[in-house]
Amino acid sequence: MVFSSITFLYYFLPITLIFYFLMPQKLKNLILLIMSLLFYFYGEPKYIIILIFSCIYNYYFGKLIEKSKHKKIYLIINLITNFGILFYFKYFNFFLENINNIISTNYSIYIIMPIGISFFTFQATSYIIDIYKGKIKSAKNILTFATYLTLFPQLIAGPIVRYETIEKELKERKVNFETFGNGVRRFVIGLSKKVLVANVLGELSQSLSVITTKTILSHWIIAISDTLQIYFDFSGYSDMAIGLGLMFGFKFLENFNYPLIAKSVTDFWRRWHISLSSWFKDYVYIPLGGSKVSNLKRYRNILIVWMITGFWHGASWNFIVWGLYFAIFLIIEKAFLLKILEKHKILSHVYTILIVIISFVIFNRTNFSDIRLFLENMFGFGNLTFTNIETNYYLKNYVFIILTAIICSMSYKKIYIRIKDNKIFNFIEPIIVIILLILCTAYIVNESFNPFLYFRF
Amino acid sequence: MKNKILSISFIIIIFSLSIISIILPDKDISETERRYLMHFPALNIKTIFNGDFFEEFNTYTVEQFPFREIFIKIKGLATNKLFLKKEENGVFIKDENFFEISSSINDKSIDYFLELVTKIKNNFSSENIYYSIIPDKNYYTKEEIPKINYNELVKTINENLQDITYINIFNKLLLDSYYKTDIHWKQEKIGEVVKTIALHMNNEPIDIKYNKLTYDNFYGALYGKIPNNEKPDTLTYLIDENTINTKVLDYEKNQYYKVYEEQNLKNIDSYDLFLGGAKALLIMENKNSKTDKELVIFRDSFGSSLAPLLLPYYKKITLVDLRYINSDFIINNNLIDFDNNQDILFIYGIPIINNSFTLK
């Protein structure tokens, strides 16, 4: 089920809220678990079995690892199982294809990837590793653990929530108008990012991609709107997850921190999909030696981590290249560039955003000749005119939404802190949120069904 | 306090809309969209486990959502007034005229169309085979909107259909030859087209004085696609002895109709006036005819308003709409006399040629 659907907003959510708030404290986790399983079942009826297996399997391994003397063996068995399942469903086809290409065979197998498997596998393994390291205690009962792993706000597209983050809240949590209202606000903002901005930019990119005569400008508009679209789509999803979490008394960590205003690639990755990059940092980069090793080893570690980060996004070569592409800039920055960038404020923004825009050209195209052609055209090596009637037509139609997106991708924390106690603002803010909710409903009703970009990850 | 207000209004909105949507009876059709709306989907073990139920339930909840039309209007107003977007749902309005934006030629569709025409024409023994292409109205506007490459499209078709005669009607139409709220041409504005086609097919020119009847409330197919306050079109239809004296046999229903079915003006699509709307196979028999010539037209809905004006030249006109009847079925069952020495005309609008997979 997607959040930006009538089914979720006007059927699933009200029903869940009623049951949740009518039930006594003891049963609240059970309600959440049942509704989360239903939420998953709705989009992936058959594969619910994998999710349930993951709950039971990891719960018992958590217990086992905590008590056993042979912690390491159980840890290894567990990681092999978890990543084995992920590998089978997400990467097996990819490896088969590549083997076929190398030894000229033609094996094929039809595998559909269960929604959200990358996310819940990473949550489960973080839980297991944290127990192994003694960082957390295992969940008291299977209900607690299953509620954690399946929690519907973050189940299918993140953020990747660590057990330690919500450990206390799984036992006891309070919801009042203050937290619920914060949740509503956050949720509606996320919904608006997805429905009012990301989807509309998707339309623009789609329209420009199919026009007969392409231009340099049309390539730039596509690249820019794709970047904005991914940001608004994905961060909108995280906002909705965080908002829903608040409505039910959970406080998830932030997943995005205005990445498009980053001043370097290093800075960008501190602000983009934070729960994923910190997962890789804690469970791959640091175990490899992290930054406390020689420069050469450190660069090797960066390359490894970013290659896997890329590969996590999808079973295709372009994602690996996308990760390595970032790794190269991260290494260059660590070596010397960061010091230079610090001195040039505007230049550092331009440099970062350009690298990010180009990265999503790679991200969005699985075929390397498509990537090359697109970049050639973008930078004027493709014998294209600068613009034409079609490009101008779409630019005129969408210029305002692009500007809105750019303005909304910046941080207004300081202004917000200053005006948040202002009476007029306090009066207007709820009205704006409700108007946004109605607008989103109108957009959803108008466009009917639309899947999230990040759904198959 | 602020959060309390927000929480309560949020809860009121989602709960009230969800309760209303459960209470309100389901609607059968959406008039502005001209289609049936989804009803509660089939619920059983099979549809649940293969996911069909949930997918259809999503469509159902959206299509039966309370105040749906109002929400669609709100969306249109927001994109238009808030985000200053001129195009909505693929439709662009300029000077009360509605344009459906289409900017790319679908090569596969063109190939499929050409194969289909070639297959059918090879079954006819007659040598009088013609084809014509009806441009969509975007061809005639001076507005700077995306357009398909018309020259390339016509060139491709001409090159692949060299052994049958092309009747070029591009310069016989104007922007004003089309309805403002619809994609079709106006019957009263296609006199030149009729003359050109008739002449090409070796007919003596005939001048007919038509009586004009009008219907003022024609809301075309594009009207509902974009919230607007534009006026409806006037639909004019041309009457003469031929149209009055011709009976139209609907092959599927084995029933006779009039050339102009006036009660259809009240249909969702008033264009159904012409030959009773979408029909698979029609045979028009003109008792008034002064000739013995016969014509077979393979056509889309543009043909419905064209065919009545070709009646003076023919005793019998057979109209085939391949969207509703399979060409193989026609050929295998000899539903048309393929050996007769008749005229054969393939005439299709570019919207269909560019999306020809609906033809069978």
Side-chain angles (χ1 to χ4, degrees):
Chain A
M1 200 184 299
V2 282
F3 295 154
S4 58
S5 69
I6 294 298
T7 332
F8 179 82
L9 289 171
Y10 294 98
Y11 287 79
F12 184 87
L13 189 57
I15 291 169
T16 311
L17 286 171
I18 287 186
F19 280 122
Y20 184 81
F21 286 104
L22 288 185
M23 287 295 164
Q25 197 68 36
K26 271 196 290 183
L27 294 178
K28 286 196 193 303
N29 277 356
L30 183 66
I31 290 296
L32 275 184
L33 175 62
I34 293 170
M35 293 315 282
S36 296
L37 289 175
L38 186 71
F39 178 86
Y40 193 82
F41 184 75
Y42 194 95
E44 207 75 279
K46 282 176 196 149
Y47 283 147
I48 186 124
I49 197 81
I50 293 168
L51 184 63
I52 293 172
F53 168 79
S54 185
C55 289
I56 300 169
Y57 181 79
N58 288 299
Y59 171 72
Y60 284 106
F61 261 79
K63 289 275 174 223
L64 215 57
I65 290 170
E66 196 169 45
K67 284 176 197 146
S68 167
K69 283 174 192 159
H70 311 287
K71 286 177 198 296
K72 202 159 195 172
I73 295 168
Y74 289 120
L75 175 75
I76 289 166
I77 294 171
N78 179 279
L79 293 183
I80 288 173
T81 320
N82 276 321
F83 289 118
I85 293 171
L86 180 65
F87 174 83
Y88 174 75
F89 283 107
K90 191 169 176 174
Y91 299 104
F92 194 72
N93 269 334
F94 173 75
F95 278 90
L96 209 58
E97 257 172 47
N98 281 290
I99 290 167
N100 281 337
N101 283 341
I102 294 166
I103 57 170
S104 306
T105 46
N106 205 7
Y107 299 112
S108 75
I109 179 168
Y110 183 66
I111 305 170
I112 301 174
M113 192 178 91
I115 291 171
I117 190 166
S118 316
F119 288 95
F120 66 72
T121 304
F122 270 44
Q123 291 206 168
T125 45
S126 78
Y127 170 79
I128 292 291
I129 298 170
D130 285 354
I131 290 176
Y132 172 79
K133 284 185 186 164
K135 246 171 102 181
I136 55 169
K137 281 189 184 139
S138 67
K140 220 169 158 192
N141 51 44
I142 190 155
L143 177 63
T144 311
F145 178 71
T147 309
Y148 155 70
L149 197 64
T150 63
L151 207 55
F152 77 84
Q154 39 80 171
L155 176 60
I156 48 181
I160 300 162
V161 177
R162 306 271 181 94
Y163 186 74
E164 60 179 333
T165 311
I166 58 168
E167 190 179 3
K168 275 187 201 143
E169 288 150 3
L170 281 166
K171 281 178 212 142
E172 204 190 344
R173 54 190 178 271
K174 278 204 180 89
V175 180
N176 51 37
F177 279 123
E178 195 54 31
T179 54
F180 193 86
N182 284 337
V184 169
R185 186 183 310 110
R186 194 66 191 269
F187 176 76
V188 173
I189 287 171
L191 186 66
S192 309
K193 277 167 132 178
K194 161 75 184 156
V195 176
L196 305 183
V197 183
N199 288 357
V200 179
L201 290 171
E203 266 171 38
L204 166 63
S205 172
Q206 179 59 30
S207 307
L208 279 176
S209 301
V210 298
I211 60 172
T212 331
T213 324
K214 303 208 168 48
T215 60
I216 296 174
L217 185 62
S218 75
H219 281 81
W220 277 94
I221 301 170
I222 290 173
I224 291 169
S225 72
D226 282 351
T227 304
L228 289 166
Q229 188 202 355
I230 291 178
Y231 169 63
F232 277 88
D233 198 287
F234 196 14
S235 74
Y237 197 96
S238 290
D239 288 335
M240 286 188 267
I242 292 168
L244 287 166
L246 285 171
M247 287 186 214
F248 295 97
F250 293 97
K251 213 168 171 315
F252 304 150
L253 298 179
E254 290 297 331
N255 205 20
F256 287 87
N257 184 22
Y258 305 97
L260 298 183
I261 60 166
K263 290 195 281 284
S264 63
V265 174
T266 313
D267 190 24
F268 174 79
W269 272 103
R270 276 189 211 120
R271 296 164 172 271
W272 177 275
H273 204 175
I274 299 163
S275 67
L276 181 75
S277 39
S278 71
W279 194 99
F280 278 111
K281 189 181 146 209
D282 292 346
Y283 302 112
V284 185
Y285 186 69
I286 291 174
L288 281 173
S291 306
K292 291 172 188 158
V293 286
S294 70
N295 266 352
L296 213 59
K297 272 196 175 167
R298 187 173 159 206
Y299 297 154
R300 179 206 65 183
N301 294 349
I302 291 176
L303 280 170
I304 292 172
V305 167
W306 255 268
M307 193 185 84
I308 319 173
T309 305
F311 204 36
W312 179 89
H313 285 81
S316 165
W317 284 106
N318 66 308
F319 292 112
I320 297 176
V321 170
W322 181 74
L324 289 173
Y325 164 92
F326 275 119
I328 290 166
F329 286 102
L330 289 168
I331 291 169
I332 297 172
E333 285 184 4
K334 289 217 169 21
F336 67 94
L337 196 60
L338 221 45
K339 282 179 195 135
I340 302 171
L341 288 173
E342 274 164 14
K343 288 176 200 152
H344 302 88
K345 226 179 157 190
I346 296 172
L347 192 76
S348 64
H349 281 297
V350 175
Y351 148 86
T352 310
I353 200 72
L354 201 62
I355 286 172
V356 170
I357 289 171
I358 293 168
S359 87
F360 285 116
V361 171
I362 302 168
F363 187 92
N364 277 325
R365 287 161 189 79
T366 46
N367 189 323
F368 285 106
S369 57
D370 287 351
I371 295 171
R372 217 188 86 189
L373 188 69
F374 193 95
L375 290 174
E376 276 175 6
N377 288 336
M378 215 171 137
F379 289 98
F381 298 106
N383 252 338
L384 298 181
T385 53
F386 180 71
T387 185
N388 63 7
I389 288 173
E390 279 117 320
T391 311
N392 292 345
Y393 173 82
Y394 285 111
L395 184 60
K396 265 188 249 164
N397 259 301
Y398 287 90
V399 68
F400 208 74
I401 189 81
I402 295 174
L403 289 177
T404 311
I406 292 172
I407 292 167
C408 291
S409 65
M410 296 177 195
S411 166
Y412 301 98
K413 259 184 208 158
K414 281 180 194 161
I415 301 173
Y416 186 78
I417 289 166
R418 205 182 305 156
I419 60 169
K420 88 176 180 220
D421 296 320
N422 180 306
K423 268 187 192 159
I424 301 168
F425 181 73
N426 277 341
F427 177 73
I428 296 172
E429 200 194 8
I431 299 176
I432 293 174
V433 175
I434 293 305
I435 289 175
L436 284 175
L437 174 68
I438 289 167
L439 268 185
C440 288
T441 307
Y443 270 61
I444 295 167
V445 169
N446 188 73
E447 289 175 20
S448 72
F449 190 63
N450 60 77
F452 271 92
L453 277 182
Y454 264 73
F455 238 52
R456 284 278 159 195
F457 291 163
Chain B
M1 187 60 193
K2 168 172 85 175
N3 277 5
K4 196 168 181 176
I5 296 171
L6 183 56
S7 304
I8 293 170
S9 20
F10 178 78
I11 287 176
I12 290 174
I13 288 176
I14 63 167
F15 276 80
S16 54
L17 279 173
S18 100
I19 291 166
I20 295 171
S21 83
I22 292 166
I23 296 173
L24 272 188
D26 289 350
K27 283 184 188 159
D28 285 331
I29 48 168
S30 155
E31 296 219 353
T32 44
E33 293 158 279
R34 312 157 154 239
R35 63 180 179 89
Y36 288 98
L37 295 174
M38 179 98 179
H39 280 248
F40 193 83
L43 177 63
N44 54 50
I45 299 288
K46 195 182 151 209
T47 56
I48 284 181
F49 279 93
N50 65 16
D52 283 356
F53 174 77
F54 301 121
E55 215 166 281
E56 287 172 13
F57 188 73
N58 277 335
T59 317
Y60 164 74
T61 52
V62 183
E63 295 198 348
Q64 298 293 352
F65 198 67
F67 320 116
R68 181 163 179 267
E69 310 255 305
I70 296 171
F71 277 114
I72 292 172
K73 280 230 166 74
I74 291 175
K75 195 262 170 175
L77 284 174
T79 40
N80 191 271
K81 301 281 184 263
L82 207 62
F83 295 121
L84 308 175
K85 202 170 157 250
K86 294 279 170 292
E87 182 196 311
E88 175 72 356
N89 295 332
V91 174
F92 172 86
I93 305 185
K94 182 72 187 186
D95 301 332
E96 303 170 2
N97 211 335
F98 293 59
F99 298 94
E100 190 163 42
I101 300 300
S102 159
S103 57
S104 57
I105 295 175
N106 182 344
D107 293 329
K108 281 185 188 153
S109 166
I110 309 299
D111 290 346
Y112 179 78
F113 175 76
L114 290 168
E115 272 171 36
L116 192 68
V117 172
T118 310
K119 180 186 85 180
I120 296 169
K121 78 155 168 70
N122 287 341
N123 280 281
F124 283 102
S125 56
S126 168
E127 284 174 359
N128 311 325
I129 308 180
Y130 309 86
Y131 72 97
S132 187
I133 303 164
I134 307 167
D136 55 76
K137 67 175 164 183
N138 297 15
Y139 177 78
Y140 297 99
T141 178
K142 291 195 178 70
E143 283 306 313
E144 299 206 325
I145 58 172
K147 292 180 185 180
I148 59 166
N149 189 336
Y150 291 92
N151 292 336
E152 190 192 306
L153 178 79
V154 173
K155 206 179 130 206
T156 312
I157 295 175
N158 288 166
E159 280 169 2
N160 285 281
L161 293 176
Q162 281 182 1
D163 49 345
I164 55 179
T165 312
Y166 175 52
I167 306 175
N168 186 350
I169 56 169
F170 274 61
N171 56 0
K172 306 296 173 198
L173 293 159
L174 302 163
L175 183 56
D176 183 47
S177 313
Y178 295 81
Y179 297 110
K180 289 192 161 179
T181 66
D182 199 74
I183 60 164
H184 291 108
W185 55 19
K186 298 174 183 165
Q187 195 187 34
E188 74 274 21
K189 300 279 185 181
I190 55 171
E192 284 299 308
V193 171
V194 175
K195 270 187 199 157
T196 308
I197 292 174
L199 266 172
H200 265 87
M201 301 198 294
N202 302 315
N203 294 293
E204 292 293 319
I206 306 174
D207 256 326
I208 308 261
K209 284 274 167 284
Y210 284 105
N211 284 325
K212 289 181 182 176
L213 290 178
T214 58
Y215 174 71
D216 286 332
N217 279 315
F218 176 38
Y219 292 92
L222 300 177
Y223 193 87
K225 284 204 169 193
I226 176 165
N228 67 85
N229 298 310
E230 305 298 349
K231 293 188 293 278
D233 271 295
T234 296
L235 188 152
T236 304
Y237 50 111
L238 308 177
I239 308 268
D240 74 332
E241 279 183 17
N242 296 295
T243 63
I244 294 169
N245 290 318
T246 297
K247 282 203 289 184
V248 185
L249 174 66
D250 178 351
Y251 168 81
E252 272 185 312
K253 292 198 174 137
N254 196 20
Q255 203 176 329
Y256 280 97
Y257 289 98
K258 287 183 287 185
V259 171
Y260 301 115
E261 285 290 331
E262 276 151 334
Q263 80 269 15
N264 287 0
L265 285 169
K266 294 276 177 322
N267 281 8
I268 289 178
D269 192 343
S270 306
Y271 193 79
D272 287 351
L273 164 86
F274 299 107
L275 304 177
K279 294 276 176 354
L281 180 59
L282 294 174
I283 296 148
M284 301 169 86
E285 287 161 17
N286 181 7
K287 285 183 207 145
N288 214 38
S289 172
K290 297 181 180 71
T291 74
D292 279 332
K293 290 184 73 175
E294 295 187 5
L295 168 68
V296 179
I297 309 180
F298 291 88
R299 54 92 186 201
D300 55 21
S301 48
F302 281 86
S304 302
S305 50
L306 170 74
L309 307 187
L310 288 170
L311 283 171
Y313 305 94
Y314 293 94
K315 189 180 155 203
K316 179 180 168 191
I317 300 178
T318 307
L319 293 153
V320 185
D321 193 333
L322 297 173
R323 286 174 296 181
Y324 309 109
I325 191 164
N326 193 311
S327 50
D328 290 327
F329 183 75
I330 295 178
I331 294 166
N332 296 337
N333 293 293
N334 266 314
L335 296 187
I336 304 171
D337 188 354
F338 287 96
D339 299 321
N340 198 349
N341 187 28
Q342 59 204 341
D343 290 342
I344 292 110
L345 172 66
F346 293 88
I347 183 163
Y348 283 95
I350 285 179
I352 288 288
I353 297 177
N354 205 18
N355 184 22
S356 66
F357 300 109
T358 50
L359 305 177
K360 296 287 171 252

